[in-house]
Amino acid sequence: MVCGKEMASLPCINDAYLLMEDERILSFGPMSSLPKTIEADVVIDATGKMVLPAFCDSHTHLVYAGSREQEFIDKINGLSYEEIARRGGGILNSARRLHDTTEDELYEEALARVNEIISMGTGAAEIKSGYGLTTEDELKMLRVIKRLRETTPLTIRATFLGAHAVPAEYKGRQSAYVDLIVNEMIPAVGKEGLANFVDSFCDKGFFTCEETERIIEAAAAYGMRPKIHANELALSGGIQVGVKHNALSVDHLEFTGDEEIEALAGSGTMPTLLPGAAFFLGMNYPPARKMIDSGLPVALASDYNPGSSPSGNMKFILSLATIKMKMTPEEAINAATINSAYAMGISDTHGSICVGKRANVLITKEIPSLYFLPYAYTSNLIDSVILGGRVVCRSK
Ligand SMILES: N=CN[C@@H](CCC(=O)O)C(=O)O
Ligand SMILES: [Zn+2]
């Protein structure tokens, strides 16, 4: 991971070569040092373009059924995210739709989103369950995620998020639902080996710190490390719970004060910011500048989901990070690549151009400078995407 001041540094080689073999990066450097004896099967001329590590998107909910644009209109008409949730909309709305969708249909919908994010330069993503809310439907989501991992070139990590919302049948009996998560869902997910990580929406109106701790402890028995939704709606204590349990990341963090920054300092827990959600919901952005200036690392992710961020465009996330959170383009790119890889536990193999790492890179169209990427915030500037050393997408 890169922290604090280091985040402003993004090493760059002008007029460079990059060699890939067997899915990995074999070597790179200035053109003047390219060995004369190399005979490549495929040569791509990137003159005038830039080659960057493919984006790593460490927080998505991209397996979902249908969409929720009616709630988008409700929000325009004045309802808040929490009010919509209290009326049985929001996550519960998506859970009902998912229940009525077959596993095959769900896979096809999610596959279209995976192909979409690959075309926008993403090479690795974390995908959460959490629209099932019954053992059977949570397993359905996680099996779809497994199938996406097996059938697409995207590197995928799976997170079990049974504690995303309390289902309607458990209204007023939240602790009984947490019992179900701990005693039935986690063992079922663990036995099938379907999730790398465990998550809980630890926030006002959703799950408490105590409930989150019970869930984290139960999942630890199956080797699932926590990645926690924290402090989106209030100073929930979720950041401290995550740090206490050595979470790989705590995510959202719109409500972060000095105590939370202190708790994160020196921990192995990556603060992960999701400015797409603050943008879409019209809420406050997390204090990224203060975090970085205090020496913390920061990761960026899209939060691609139907309710609070219906977009997986990581280039737009760079624009929001720079325009709305005052991160520099260099900081934002580090946050969306190597630090986001860390937040998925894959920074040894993904997130930067290093010899031996997986050959996941994006090639931009011809652009005047790196700064043009976040600046031209709606232009499609991705020319090609190479994952595992193979061109998987090329713009027309
Ligand atoms: N905050 C909780 N979960 C999602 C939203 C899910 C939804 O509204 O469907 C998020 O990260 O923003
Ligand atoms: Zn989320």
Side-chain angles (χ1 to χ4, degrees), residues 59 61 68 81 90-91 94 131 161 164 201 229 232 252 274 277 281 303 305-309:
H59 183 135
H61 307 250
R68 302 211 314 253
Y81 182 77
I91 295 164
S94 286
Y131 293 122
L161 175 56
H164 200 190
F201 189 3
H229 277 76
E232 176 184 5
H252 269 292
L274 315 171
L281 298 177
D303 196 16
N305 78 74
S308 66
S309 185

Side-chain angles (χ1 to χ4, degrees), residues 110-127:
L111 180 63
R113 294 184 198 112
V114 164
N115 287 330
E116 179 199 19
I117 65 170
I118 289 174
S119 74
M120 296 187 293
T122 296
E126 179 258 20
I127 310 177

Side-chain angles (χ1 to χ4, degrees), residues 23-41:
E23 303 185 6
R24 316 249 150 234
I25 294 171
L26 188 65
S27 72
F28 64 90
M31 273 311 269
S32 54
S33 67
L34 176 67
K36 297 275 177 295
T37 51
I38 296 290
E39 274 186 35
D41 298 333

Side-chain angles (χ1 to χ4, degrees), residues 76-381:
I76 292 170
N77 289 327
L79 285 189
S80 71
Y81 182 77
E82 285 159 291
E83 281 161 343
I84 290 170
R86 271 201 298 276
R87 292 175 165 205
I91 295 164
L92 297 187
N93 182 356
S94 286
R96 281 190 298 274
R97 287 167 194 260
L98 186 130
H99 182 72
D100 295 335
T101 304
T102 67
E103 197 168 310
D104 283 344
E105 288 164 347
L106 197 56
Y107 168 78
E108 292 300 332
E109 278 194 49
L111 180 63
R113 294 184 198 112
V114 164
N115 287 330
E116 179 199 19
I117 65 170
I118 289 174
S119 74
M120 296 187 293
T122 296
E126 179 258 20
I127 310 177
K128 300 173 193 294
S129 70
Y131 293 122
L133 310 182
T134 64
T135 306
E136 202 186 317
D137 287 344
E138 285 293 306
L139 291 173
K140 175 161 89 176
M141 287 190 77
L142 289 165
R143 289 188 191 119
V144 167
I145 298 171
K146 182 174 180 222
R147 199 163 146 199
L148 292 168
R149 186 193 294 130
E150 290 166 352
T151 55
T152 72
L154 190 71
T155 299
I156 294 176
R157 290 293 177 268
T159 298
F160 167 63
L161 175 56
H164 200 190
V166 178
E169 314 79 86
Y170 283 86
K171 198 162 180 216
R173 298 188 297 127
Q174 178 149 337
S175 67
Y177 181 59
V178 177
D179 290 343
L180 180 78
I181 293 176
V182 166
N183 299 325
E184 191 178 294
M185 290 189 189
I186 289 176
V189 171
K191 275 184 204 125
E192 274 197 56
L194 286 172
N196 307 96
F197 309 115
V198 66
D199 194 348
S200 162
F201 189 3
C202 182
D203 223 321
K204 188 174 144 216
F206 287 84
F207 292 86
T208 65
C209 292
E210 293 70 29
E211 290 165 341
T212 299
E213 291 201 79
R214 274 191 72 199
I215 290 164
I216 289 175
E217 280 159 14
Y222 295 91
M224 295 177 225
R225 197 169 163 190
K227 279 170 70 67
I228 302 298
H229 277 76
N231 296 41
E232 176 184 5
L233 306 170
L235 285 166
S236 64
I239 293 179
Q240 286 85 344
V241 168
V243 171
K244 176 176 164 198
H245 290 273
N246 191 28
L248 192 51
S249 69
V250 284
D251 302 30
H252 269 292
L253 318 188
E254 283 81 353
F255 289 80
T256 299
D258 292 341
E259 280 178 38
E260 284 71 25
I261 290 181
E262 220 168 278
L264 283 161
S267 73
T269 300
M270 178 62 71
T272 298
L273 312 184
L274 315 171
F279 169 76
F280 186 77
L281 298 177
M283 291 168 68
N284 289 338
Y285 288 84
R289 197 59 273 141
K290 194 166 176 195
M291 291 176 176
I292 296 171
D293 293 343
S294 308
L296 294 184
V298 158
L300 287 167
S302 73
D303 196 16
Y304 195 176
N305 78 74
S308 66
S309 185
S311 163
N313 188 334
M314 286 296 285
K315 177 182 162 288
F316 182 56
I317 296 299
L318 297 182
S319 299
L320 291 176
T322 48
I323 298 163
K324 296 291 189 184
M325 302 200 294
K326 306 291 175 218
M327 290 171 69
T328 66
E330 291 88 347
E331 288 170 339
I333 289 170
N334 276 318
T337 54
I338 190 67
N339 281 1
S340 202
Y342 177 94
M344 288 186 269
I346 56 170
S347 53
D348 286 351
T349 48
H350 292 70
S352 59
I353 295 178
C354 276
V355 171
K357 278 197 173 183
R358 186 168 168 81
N360 276 12
V361 298
L362 64 87
I363 305 177
T364 68
K365 293 182 180 163
E366 287 194 33
I367 52 175
S369 81
L370 185 72
Y371 299 159
F372 199 77
L373 270 188
Y375 159 85
Y377 67 95
T378 59
S379 304
N380 175 12
L381 300 175

